Amino acid sequence: MGKDIIVNATAEESKVAILDNNKLDEFYVERTIARRLVGSVYKGRVESVMSGIGAAFVNIGLEKNGFLYIDDVLEEGSSYSDIVKEEMGGSFKKKDLPHGEKKITDVLKKGQEILVQIVKEPIGTKGARLSAHITLPGRYLVFMAHDTHTGISRKIADQKERKRLKTVIEQLNVPKDVGVIARTAAANHSRDELKREFSHQYSLYRHIEKIASKKSAPSLIHEEYGLIQRMARDNFSESTNSMVVDSRLEFKKTLSLLRAISPKMRAKLKFYKGHIPIFEKYNIAEEIEKIYKRRVKLRSKGHIVIEQTESLVAIDVNTGGFGGKNLEDTAFTVNKEAALEIARQLKLRDIGGIIVIDFVDMEERGHRDAVFHTLITAMKQDKARSKVLGFSSIGLVELTRQRMRRSLEGVSYQSCPYCSGRGTVKSALTMSIELIRQLEKKLKTVRHKRVELVVSPALKEYLLKSYTSTLKALARSSRCRIAFAEDAHLHIEDCSINVK
């Protein structure tokens, strides 16, 4: 049935759901106040040069300075954008550095102004990863400034088509200091279509250079498209059934973009006029809500639990209420289904970094191999690069997935202000014991006439129910009056002792 792109846009945020055969396959969220930075071009100022690590910190006007490696400055060692890596894969390798001796201090000086592009979002305490090699992705081509490389996407397997595209690129009259890559979408498209896009990209880059020459660092020179237009450029292809947008403004902006890059696709762009919210209309509202839950149910009645920590993501597979012929068959059935769902959830939630999966124990080697093969095959459907290791000696599977940006949970949630991200809070019993210890300590040091315990209603109720005799004994021995000051706004862990 193919794919459909469903767009929900408001002034505050944009949401894009990609359906594959009417099933939610990918989901993206972008907030207006926290727009994606990758692809934007800045004129920056070098703040410091670190020769020990071969990198420089560059002020581009953001909260944190960007990070620029020497490989991202030298043409021979250029680190390319993720779109280039996705299209070219392992076949597009960097040249060896000349003599392997160039140092960052040879090419960059403190105070120097430089044109850079963000190639990786700032995450946590880390600033943005920068490159001095500007790439401008289009529908069919990737334009690479100050680069002499040309290539064809590795995803185009037909040799006859590869040869045709190579000839087309040669006919584009690409300047010697510019590189071009034909993207997967370029297959079977005419020379005129590719030529029109290249002319647009080349004019855009010359415009970027002109603007940069007039501005001082740090300043934004060129802002990458927003989420919806990026989806139209990178995901909206001939194999897509339709792209449905519920915002008239975003519909017009996307239509304008398609006129420039892919006029044939305009007929597949639809404006949604219904009164029912668009995600409800396409029966995906509930599926999107499930993305934020720790527990994901499987059709076999088993389930997986996804726990994110600062250093890694742990995924536990459980058989739940499923029962097969025997324990081995039960584990194998649940694990195979879980492998498919785990790959889907990683893509849906955009989880990156180190991931550890604890499958249900299986004794048979053939079953372990089959589950591993299922996971590998499912991960290949993901655009993000990943590496899956085999079962460890204790039955765990480890994998890494490319981290492009904050995960969906990181965008939509914050650490709980009550539990500080622990996921748990101290019990009323624990807090009662701690408060009584603090009270005993305070009453032993200085004599007081009256002590007031400022606590939450839940903690007051527990203290009066379980520790009334203890509090009375403390009051008698210290010859003071112990009273309560209840505060409904207090968290159970927030309490204090006021001396009167």
Side-chain angles (χ1 to χ4, degrees), residues 49-205:
V49 181
M50 315 295 287
S51 57
I53 57 176
F57 288 98
V58 182
N59 179 6
I60 57 175
L62 300 181
E63 183 180 352
K64 298 182 180 67
N65 289 335
F67 201 62
L68 181 63
Y69 282 105
I70 185 171
D71 283 1
D72 299 325
V73 182
L74 299 174
E75 180 179 351
E76 297 85 348
S78 173
S79 287
Y80 298 98
S81 68
D82 287 299
I83 287 181
V84 175
K85 293 174 183 176
E86 178 190 331
E87 297 289 357
M88 301 306 295
S91 63
F92 199 70
K93 296 180 179 179
K94 298 183 286 187
K95 296 179 182 178
D96 292 330
L97 293 176
H99 312 298
E101 295 295 332
K102 281 220 171 182
K103 299 178 181 179
I104 190 73
T105 50
D106 296 331
V107 291
L108 291 178
K109 306 295 180 185
K110 184 178 180 180
Q112 178 180 341
E113 294 189 346
I114 183 172
L115 197 64
V116 293
Q117 186 174 39
I118 294 182
V119 294
K120 185 172 287 188
E121 296 280 342
I123 298 177
T125 58
K126 297 180 181 179
R129 172 79 178 270
L130 308 175
S131 175
H133 297 269
I134 313 301
T135 60
L136 301 175
R139 182 74 189 90
Y140 308 116
L141 304 172
V142 180
F143 175 95
M144 301 182 295
H146 306 302
D147 202 314
T148 57
H149 294 286
T150 59
I152 312 296
S153 170
R154 63 187 175 89
K155 296 179 182 178
I156 300 176
D158 184 79
Q159 292 302 315
K160 186 177 180 180
E161 179 60 17
R162 294 182 68 86
K163 186 176 180 180
R164 185 191 74 85
L165 285 172
K166 184 177 180 181
T167 302
V168 169
I169 290 177
E170 290 172 353
Q171 295 172 348
L172 293 179
N173 298 320
V174 179
K176 292 182 179 180
D177 62 340
V178 169
V180 172
I181 291 174
R183 302 186 69 178
T184 310
N188 303 314
H189 283 272
S190 68
R191 181 176 66 88
D192 289 342
E193 288 177 293
L194 271 61
K195 185 176 182 179
R196 181 176 63 244
E197 181 165 278
F198 176 75
S199 297
H200 171 73
Q201 291 171 318
Y202 191 66
S203 297
L204 175 59
Y205 182 69

Side-chain angles (χ1 to χ4, degrees), residues 360-475:
V360 182
D361 290 340
M362 295 175 291
E363 296 295 331
E364 294 185 22
R365 175 66 179 271
H367 284 170
R368 289 197 299 271
D369 290 344
V371 169
F372 181 70
H373 177 72
T374 300
L375 180 63
I376 286 275
T377 304
M379 291 298 296
K380 287 181 179 178
Q381 307 304 312
D382 192 345
K383 291 179 182 178
R385 295 187 302 277
S386 61
K387 182 177 181 181
V388 186
L389 305 179
F391 278 88
S392 69
S393 58
I394 57 174
L396 302 178
V397 171
E398 299 173 25
L399 66 93
T400 58
R401 184 179 182 272
Q402 179 186 17
R403 177 180 280 136
M404 296 293 296
R405 61 194 70 87
R406 292 174 66 194
S407 68
L408 190 60
E409 182 175 304
V411 171
S412 305
Y413 285 75
Q414 65 178 20
S415 292
C416 174
Y418 301 109
C419 70
S420 301
R422 293 196 310 267
T424 58
V425 294
K426 291 180 180 179
S427 66
L429 171 60
T430 301
M431 287 307 304
S432 297
I433 294 171
E434 290 185 3
L435 184 61
I436 289 172
R437 285 176 179 170
Q438 293 175 27
L439 182 59
E440 287 175 337
K441 183 178 179 181
K442 188 172 288 287
L443 293 177
K444 282 180 180 178
T445 54
V446 182
R447 186 176 296 278
H448 305 290
K449 291 185 177 180
R450 187 172 183 271
V451 174
E452 189 177 71
L453 306 181
V454 185
V455 296
S456 67
L459 184 56
K460 176 186 174 182
E461 181 182 355
Y462 191 86
L463 282 164
L464 291 175
K465 179 181 178 181
S466 305
Y467 286 93
T468 298
S469 58
T470 303
L471 292 172
K472 286 182 177 179
L474 276 173

Side-chain angles (χ1 to χ4, degrees), residues 218-358:
S219 58
L220 172 65
I221 304 301
H222 167 72
E223 187 173 20
E224 171 64 313
Y225 288 125
L227 173 64
I228 299 169
Q229 282 68 52
R230 291 199 310 273
M231 285 293 159
R233 181 190 66 194
D234 301 334
N235 293 71
F236 195 24
S237 65
E238 284 75 9
S239 61
T240 307
N241 297 325
S242 64
M243 181 172 184
V244 188
V245 184
D246 69 353
S247 162
R248 190 171 292 278
L249 174 63
E250 293 298 336
F251 173 79
K252 289 180 177 179
K253 287 167 65 176
T254 306
L255 187 62
S256 176
L257 174 65
L258 291 176
R259 284 196 188 103
I261 65 171
S262 187
K264 294 179 181 179
M265 297 300 296
R266 288 180 296 173
K268 292 187 175 185
L269 180 67
K270 311 290 183 183
F271 175 60
Y272 179 72
K273 300 178 182 178
H275 297 293
I276 302 172
I278 191 168
F279 284 164
E280 290 185 17
K281 174 67 176 178
Y282 285 86
N283 300 314
I284 53 176
E286 289 186 10
E287 286 298 310
I288 291 171
E289 277 300 312
K290 291 177 183 177
I291 296 174
Y292 299 102
K293 295 182 178 179
R294 291 173 59 249
R295 176 175 294 200
V296 180
K297 294 180 180 179
L298 304 174
R299 287 195 303 270
S300 62
K301 295 185 180 179
H303 63 268
I304 62 176
V305 179
I306 302 173
E307 293 281 3
Q308 297 194 51
T309 70
E310 288 190 15
S311 58
L312 56 81
V313 176
I315 301 178
D316 186 36
V317 182
N318 296 278
T319 56
F322 178 72
K325 296 178 181 178
N326 52 56
L327 186 60
E328 180 70 17
D329 287 341
T330 298
F332 178 56
T333 301
V334 172
N335 284 340
K336 278 195 71 175
E337 186 183 354
L340 293 171
E341 187 61 31
I342 286 168
R344 176 172 174 261
Q345 290 295 327
L346 293 178
K347 182 165 62 171
L348 275 175
R349 300 172 188 230
D350 203 11
I351 294 174
I354 301 171
I355 298 141
V356 179
I357 307 170
D358 185 8

